[in-house]
């Protein structure tokens, strides 16, 4: 009998060898795209371990990959903005079919209220870890050539962009402007790094609080973008507050409740605590619920989550990447820590995450657009 790991490896290999779409059958407003690169995150590993995700209706196979950079190969009729050769990032979530969901009916499926949405590469629809795929133009966000391969970071950065948009909306409740806001990022992984760069770019005095040592590579990276770094292994939360004061915004990017909620005393009055991580199932934890409720009420604090983003957040993420390449070009390029080939994907998905951003390289831009289109068209 084959092991679960062996069966999973076969299934993943099967998923990345999907049949080619037929370019002759492109519907109005659709494009044939070639995937150039796909980023891997914890969600992909959870799906590959069969603890999360769902296949499209009528099949038991789910093509993985939701963080993608692609190139337009061919377009159907009715395309407005895109042409062959353009670089794009596909959005992930598709609206639910419920007429009573106002968010989905106006194109804000990232705020879907029914939970019946579909997410490519995650639940109910195939993803982008394949050579070719077809998508509607409205779900494709153009990427300037200058961004190039860093376009694969647009999807994770869109979650940060959405958080900043919601933060800006919440700040309208305060009848003054803070000319020296302080921001704390929990975790120095890819999302934490992107969030730190976003805070610095927006004028925050930013600090990253993570378990890696003060003189480690991640600490050096954080300091290279103008933020400070504090190791949780050597400095507790009271020590963090004594050193930097309390923070107007805390962005959680670790997915570990025990670590995240112990930093709540570091949140300033009127501050916002933003959750981005989705923790794995685990036993309930003990914490001071009375103190949490008292502080949030008496100090006018708020807490909200940010997840799969909408088109506007993707477009803002593209703008942010352009800004990062101007402000800290070397650091922006170092967010991607590892690049692998497609045939290495099954082993990667079985392995535990190492915290660095890994990208699966699938094709080079512009190398075979015409040939691919001709072969797909038969």
């Amino acid at each position: 009998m084959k092991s679960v790991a062996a069966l999973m490896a076969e299934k993943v290999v099967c998923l990345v060898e999907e049949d080619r779409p037929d370019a002759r059958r492109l519907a109005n407003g659709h494009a044939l795209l070639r995937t150039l690169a796909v980023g891997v995150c914890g969600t992909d590993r959870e799906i590959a371990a069969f603890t999360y995700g769902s296949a499209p209706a009528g099949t038991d196979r789910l093509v993985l990959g939701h963080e993608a950079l692609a190139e337009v190969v061919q377009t159907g009729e009715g395309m407005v903005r895109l042409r062959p050769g353009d670089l794009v990032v596909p959005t992930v979530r598709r609206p639910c079919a419920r007429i009573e969901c106002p968010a989905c009916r106006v194109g804000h499926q990232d705020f879907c209220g029914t939970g019946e949405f579909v997410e490519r590469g995650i639940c109910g629809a195939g993803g982008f870890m394949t050579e070719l795929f077809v998508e509607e133009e409205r779900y494709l966000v153009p990427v300037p050539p200058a961004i190039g391969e860093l376009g694969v970071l647009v999807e994770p950065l869109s979650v940060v962009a959405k958080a900043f948009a919601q933060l800006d909306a919440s700040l309208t409740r305060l009848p003054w402007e803070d000319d020296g806001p302080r921001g704390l990022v929990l975790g120095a992984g890819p999302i934490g790094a992107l969030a730190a760069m976003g805070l610095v770019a927006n004028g925050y005095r930013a600090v990253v609080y993570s378990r890696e040592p003060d003189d480690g590579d991640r600490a050096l990276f954080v300091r290279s973008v103008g933020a400070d770094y504090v190791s949780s292994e050597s400095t507790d939360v009271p020590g963090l507050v004594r050193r930097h004061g309390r923070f107007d915004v805390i962005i959680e990017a670790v997915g570990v409740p025990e670590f995240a909620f112990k930093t709540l005393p570091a949140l300033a009055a009127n501050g916002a605590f933003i959750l981005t991580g989705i923790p794995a199932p685990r036993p309930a934890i003990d914490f001071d619920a009375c103190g949490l409720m008292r502080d949030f009420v008496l100090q006018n604090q708020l807490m909200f989550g940010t997840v799969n983003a909408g088109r506007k957040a993707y477009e803002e993420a593209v703008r942010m990447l352009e800004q990062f390449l101007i402000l800290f070009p070397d650091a922006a390029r170092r967010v991607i820590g590892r690049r692998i080939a497609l045939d290495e994907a099954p082993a990667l998905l079985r392995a535990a995450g190492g915290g660095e951003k890994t990208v699966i390289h699938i094709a080079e831009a512009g190398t075979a657009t015409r040939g691919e289109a001709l072969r797909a068209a038969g």
Side-chain angles (χ1 to χ4, degrees):
M1 180 178 295
K2 294 183 179 180
S3 68
V4 172
L7 290 171
M8 196 206 77
E10 290 180 4
K11 196 173 187 69
V12 172
V13 171
C14 179
L15 295 181
V16 298
E17 293 177 351
E18 287 288 277
D19 293 336
R20 295 177 180 272
D22 192 337
R24 294 170 297 183
R25 299 178 182 177
L26 287 177
N28 189 63
H30 286 64
L32 175 70
L33 301 113
R34 185 173 69 256
T35 306
L36 304 180
V38 176
V40 176
C41 71
T43 297
D44 299 301
R45 290 186 171 90
E46 289 180 0
I47 296 171
F50 306 113
T51 61
Y52 188 66
S54 62
T59 179
D60 62 353
R61 302 201 307 173
L62 175 68
V63 179
L64 299 182
H66 60 279
E67 303 177 6
L69 173 67
E71 182 180 30
V72 178
V73 174
Q74 189 168 330
T75 59
E77 295 182 359
M79 298 290 284
V80 177
R81 298 177 300 275
L82 298 177
R83 298 292 181 268
D86 288 349
L87 296 181
V88 297
V89 170
T91 63
V92 176
R93 185 173 291 188
R94 304 294 174 262
C96 75
R98 300 281 289 275
I99 191 65
E100 63 269 30
C101 179
C104 287
R105 299 292 69 79
V106 296
H108 282 283
Q109 52 266 26
D110 53 318
F111 288 99
C112 177
T114 69
E116 297 178 12
F117 51 79
V118 167
E119 292 179 325
R120 294 204 61 163
I122 301 176
C123 59
F128 311 114
M129 201 180 295
T130 181
E131 291 181 339
L132 296 171
F133 66 95
V134 172
E135 187 53 274
E136 294 182 64
E137 184 178 32
R138 60 176 170 158
Y139 298 128
L140 299 172
V141 178
V143 173
I147 289 180
E149 67 168 359
L150 291 185
V152 77
L153 296 175
V154 167
E155 194 281 335
L157 184 54
S158 72
V159 176
V160 176
K162 178 180 177 180
F164 285 165
Q166 298 306 304
L167 176 62
D168 288 345
S170 73
L171 292 177
T172 61
R173 68 196 173 104
L174 305 179
W176 64 85
E177 292 186 6
D178 189 345
D179 59 357
R182 294 182 298 275
L184 178 66
V185 178
L186 307 180
I191 293 292
L194 293 170
M197 287 191 284
L199 286 172
V200 172
N202 280 281
Y204 280 77
R205 289 178 285 171
V207 177
V208 174
Y209 189 51
S210 192
R211 65 183 180 181
E212 292 80 10
D214 283 303
D215 58 354
D217 290 341
R218 293 193 181 183
L220 295 175
F221 175 93
V222 167
R223 295 185 182 110
S224 75
V225 302
D228 198 2
Y229 181 89
V230 178
S231 174
S232 61
E233 294 296 302
S234 58
T235 304
D236 60 11
V237 174
L240 173 68
V241 173
R242 286 193 298 270
R243 179 171 166 180
H244 289 282
R246 297 169 74 200
F247 297 88
D248 302 289
V249 57
I250 297 178
I251 302 176
E252 175 276 324
V254 289
V256 181
E258 296 90 338
F259 179 71
F261 291 129
K262 77 176 183 180
T263 67
L264 282 170
L267 185 64
N270 311 309
F273 194 94
I274 305 174
L275 301 168
T276 74
I278 303 176
R282 65 183 69 188
I285 62 173
D286 292 327
F287 69 97
D288 183 8
C290 291
L292 167 68
M293 187 171 179
R294 181 179 61 250
D295 288 344
F296 268 74
V297 171
L298 296 179
Q299 299 185 69
N300 298 296
Q301 296 169 331
L302 58 86
M303 180 186 297
F304 64 87
T306 175
V307 70
N308 199 292
R311 184 183 180 92
K312 287 186 177 180
Y314 275 76
E315 293 171 341
E316 176 61 14
V318 171
R319 188 199 67 77
M320 291 173 68
L321 269 181
E322 292 180 299
Q323 185 182 31
F324 293 171
L325 284 169
I326 295 172
L327 294 176
F328 6 79
D330 293 337
R333 292 183 174 90
R334 283 190 287 125
V335 172
I336 299 175
R338 183 184 179 196
R339 295 168 176 81
I340 67 170
L342 182 58
D343 59 5
E344 299 177 81
L348 172 73
L349 291 166
R350 291 199 303 273
E356 66 178 353
K357 190 62 187 177
T358 301
V359 169
I360 300 170
H361 176 80
I362 297 179
E364 295 288 344
T367 56
T369 300
R370 179 174 173 79
E372 291 285 3
L374 290 174
R375 287 201 300 274

